[in-house]
Amino acid sequence: MPAVLGLNFHHDTSAALVVDGRLYAAEEERWSGVKHNHSTRKGTLTSPTRALQWCLEAAGLEPQDVDAVWAASMRPNPAAGWWLAEECEEVAALLPAPLGQRLRLLSHHTAHVLSGYLLSDHEHAAGLVIDAGGSSLGSDFGPGRERITGYDLWPDRIDRLHQGMPTVIPSPAGPRRVHSSLGHFYRNLARRVIPPGDEPEGSMMALAAFGDPQHYGAQVRDLVRLGDDGHVRIGHPWGSADSSTPLLLGGRAWTSGNVAEQPEANRADLAAAVQEVFVKSVVHVARHLQRLTAASALVFSGGCALNSHLNGQLAADSGFNSLFVAPAPHDAGTAVGAALYGWHYQLGQKRLPVPTDAAWGPYPGALPAGAVPSGYRTLTGLGPGLAPTVATLLAEHHIVGWVQGQLEFGPRALGHRSILAHPCQAATRERLNVIKKRAPYRPFAPAVLSEHATEWFMSAGDPFMNRVAHVRRCRADRIAAVTHHDSTARVQSVSNDHQGLRALLEQFHVRTGLPLLLNTSFNRKGTPILRTAEQSVAAAADLRLDALAVGDTLLLADHVPDPRAMALRSRCGG
């Protein structure tokens, strides 16, 4: 029974284990309660202790039973030939001895791209990874790091054939290397657009729908130069982490320190211009990869692949016939890519089936005895009646916490730790933004029965909620709660084998004629998606949800009628 462990020791700390063709994966933040689980000290490694322990326990393994251990390298320094050995030694020290002795490192971007490619059904694909920065490029390049990397991918080889490199410019102190990181570019500008307290990149992507990209378009385009052979050059310091140098636009100085002083309309215009330039730049690189590889499919990963609006346009404009976005394209996914690398390329094992869900984590456990918060009551032992009962509540526009089955891996709630609602009324979106303390311009996503997706949207979305689709014009008014200002939605397609959400969607469809629900993550502002049944009870009471479904038990707020009586009255015509 071969077993391979993959690990990520940087932000979004995570562990993944492939055993006998089954994947277990979890993020440390779900235990620590610290979103992204990053250290407060820059450059400090963090061990995914509890995520690793859970993976081993779930698979019934001891550390000595693991055949291979791989981790994604990340440390950019020191810029010398021994940097890899030093990092490997430092990481190994954080592991139990049998695991540390087997540890090997692969590049950060290679782990990213394989977290997509080895879970796709493509034999030949181009791979693209774009993020703020990855592994060191080695001593010959000084402090250069992976920023934009292109691959030609086959079952028997991984060929890195495109690499974004730093630009060297003169300075009073001698030669200076300038970052051209599209990940840093987007984050840098987002911190000048989104006030502190909201997640910058995701919020800017949402706000962009309300802006005019032409207002600041010429000035933002001047910051990024697209060259031959897919090269991208970003003027200093806009492609770095520096968000304090003033950006002069329209007679205003934009910094992360004065963002709250900028009018929201201007911030929306800048967001729209940045989103447009960002998309154009990524499409430019992708088209170059298509010419190089002649592949029909593109696999996309890295932090920039979390930009679902980009992914929708990349699918349409990159020149590839199909786009596969890694199920978890953020840094936690590198643990999955590292494990799959060892499984397939080192041990020669067959690739895993293409997933239609990312429920790779722990079960929630049972509700603790007597864990009924004030203002709620319980309905127990619902069994197969749970889905129709909750569907009745949702049809009556109640908001329901939904905790079912194994925890999803990645940043999106996929119907296992979700808050669900009727997708019809814009007022529902407004209520949820208040509940979750989000900016009012941020949208919510639909989860739709896969066979009905193209009846409501111009494309089918994907199982991992990683790309937007345009809502069909004739349908938009019927699903206002999940239709964004630009008539798009980030669509999760729910297949027949989805264990968490399929039955509920079918029941809701029967009652309303709508094959979709609003689906958002079950968490409080600034905290990770919750893990356990006990956490869900506290969160439901804190957020004042109308109901909470855990296993076959339903907690109902006292103001909500019994849904079984509601359903009976409906059947009787009362």
Side-chain angles (χ1 to χ4, degrees):
M1 183 173 67
V4 181
L5 181 65
L7 300 166
N8 171 42
F9 288 86
H10 306 278
H11 64 82
D12 297 300
T13 316
S14 55
L17 181 66
V18 184
V19 182
D20 202 23
R22 180 175 177 181
L23 176 61
Y24 303 84
E27 298 170 75
E28 189 71 12
E29 67 168 24
R30 309 296 169 86
W31 280 266
S32 72
V34 178
K35 199 165 185 178
H36 303 302
N37 202 66
H38 54 75
S39 171
T40 55
R41 294 175 54 201
K42 186 175 180 181
T44 301
L45 296 175
T46 304
S47 178
T49 305
R50 286 162 291 189
L52 167 58
Q53 181 182 358
W54 174 80
C55 286
L56 291 172
E57 289 176 354
L61 299 182
E62 297 295 331
Q64 60 268 24
D65 299 326
V66 176
D67 298 292
V69 183
W70 288 88
S73 169
M74 185 70 168
R75 304 298 282 275
N77 294 311
W82 42 271
W83 66 272
L84 190 64
E86 182 187 71
E87 183 179 359
C88 193
E89 182 178 334
E90 187 177 358
V91 170
L94 299 174
L95 295 171
L99 299 178
Q101 291 163 3
R102 296 185 177 100
L103 176 71
R104 298 171 69 181
L105 300 184
L106 76 163
S107 93
H108 185 77
H109 277 199
T110 300
H112 263 312
V113 79
L114 295 182
S115 73
Y117 172 65
L118 290 177
L119 291 177
S120 76
D121 60 354
H122 301 299
E123 180 179 19
H124 178 213
L128 177 59
V129 179
I130 305 178
D131 60 8
S135 299
S136 169
L137 292 173
S139 58
D140 289 344
F141 301 106
R145 297 174 65 181
E146 296 170 317
R147 310 284 182 181
I148 301 172
T149 308
Y151 295 85
D152 192 28
L153 300 168
W154 294 87
D156 60 350
R157 72 175 188 271
I158 307 162
D159 186 6
R160 184 187 297 238
L161 43 73
H162 177 83
Q163 189 65 64
M165 301 297 293
T167 303
V168 181
I169 62 173
S171 77
R176 179 175 187 174
R177 285 169 175 81
V178 174
H179 297 293
S180 283
S181 166
L182 281 169
H184 272 313
F185 169 76
Y186 199 87
R187 181 182 299 161
N188 185 325
L189 275 293
R191 287 174 175 165
R192 303 162 192 272
V193 168
I194 303 302
D198 286 318
E199 187 276 317
E201 295 98 287
S203 297
M204 185 167 77
M205 180 178 64
L207 185 59
F210 295 83
D212 175 7
Q214 298 311 310
H215 185 180
Y216 297 117
Q219 296 99 311
V220 175
R221 285 192 294 272
D222 282 344
L223 306 180
V224 181
R225 292 282 182 259
L226 305 182
D228 295 338
D229 299 327
H231 288 297
V232 176
R233 292 287 178 260
I234 303 172
H236 185 70
W238 320 117
S240 74
D242 175 3
S243 57
S244 59
T245 299
L247 174 64
L248 302 177
L249 294 173
R252 296 176 178 272
W254 298 71
T255 71
S256 59
N258 68 10
V259 60
E261 302 167 15
Q262 309 288 0
E264 185 170 296
N266 293 57
R267 293 193 289 112
D269 289 345
L270 180 54
V274 172
Q275 180 71 23
E276 186 175 86
V277 170
F278 175 67
V279 169
K280 184 178 179 181
S281 301
V282 177
V283 169
H284 173 72
V285 180
R287 287 176 175 171
H288 174 63
L289 286 179
Q290 206 286 321
R291 291 191 295 270
L292 283 179
T293 64
S296 62
L298 175 66
V299 172
F300 188 33
S301 191
C304 291
L306 291 172
N307 192 299
S308 54
H309 279 264
L310 161 66
N311 296 342
Q313 291 179 258
L314 193 59
D317 299 335
S318 64
F320 291 90
N321 294 338
S322 63
L323 172 70
F324 187 87
V325 180
H330 63 325
D331 274 15
T334 61
V336 174
L340 293 173
Y341 174 83
W343 176 261
H344 179 69
Y345 288 104
Q346 180 188 7
L347 299 186
Q349 298 294 315
K350 184 179 178 181
R351 288 164 65 172
L352 271 58
V354 180
T356 56
D357 191 6
W360 303 326
Y363 287 94
L367 283 173
V372 181
S374 175
Y376 288 81
R377 64 194 191 278
T378 60
L379 302 178
T380 60
L382 292 174
L386 178 76
T389 302
V390 174
T392 299
L393 286 172
L394 292 165
E396 293 293 325
H397 298 273
H398 293 294
I399 294 176
V400 181
W402 182 253
V403 177
Q404 300 293 319
Q406 289 184 259
L407 176 65
E408 48 271 88
F409 184 88
R412 320 282 194 209
L414 301 177
H416 301 279
R417 306 291 187 275
S418 291
I419 297 174
L420 304 174
H422 199 297
C424 178
Q425 298 175 352
T428 301
R429 179 181 67 233
E430 294 162 6
R431 182 186 170 195
L432 271 169
N433 271 325
V434 171
I435 285 173
K436 298 196 70 179
K437 299 180 181 178
R438 304 190 334 160
Y441 54 77
R442 292 190 63 182
F444 289 99
V448 58
L449 294 171
S450 56
E451 65 271 26
H452 292 283
T454 54
E455 299 169 12
W456 292 81
F457 308 99
M458 297 298 290
S459 59
D462 77 7
F464 313 107
M465 208 186 281
N466 275 331
R467 72 177 78 177
V468 301
H470 281 274
V471 180
R472 291 192 179 274
R473 187 174 301 177
C474 60
R475 302 284 197 176
D477 289 344
R478 293 190 63 192
I479 53 172
V482 295
T483 301
H484 197 29
H485 185 73
D486 58 357
S487 298
T488 64
R490 192 179 69 210
V491 181
Q492 177 195 358
S493 59
V494 178
S495 64
N496 286 322
D497 58 355
H498 193 291
Q499 296 300 307
L501 205 53
R502 179 75 192 194
L504 178 59
L505 279 168
E506 290 173 343
Q507 291 291 331
F508 186 76
H509 188 203
V510 168
R511 284 158 177 74
T512 65
L514 298 171
L516 66 156
L517 284 165
L518 183 155
N519 176 16
T520 188
S521 57
F522 197 168
N523 63 317
R524 302 176 181 89
K525 182 179 176 67
T527 66
I529 296 172
L530 55 80
R531 176 174 52 91
T532 69
E534 185 174 7
Q535 291 168 343
S536 72
V537 173
D542 187 40
L543 299 172
R544 298 187 180 181
L545 302 184
D546 297 321
L548 168 67
V550 181
D552 65 352
T553 297
L554 186 64
L555 269 68
L556 281 175
D558 287 344
H559 68 271
V560 177
D562 189 320
R564 296 170 298 183
M566 293 160 55
L568 181 61
R569 286 196 301 271
S570 176
R571 286 195 298 271
C572 295

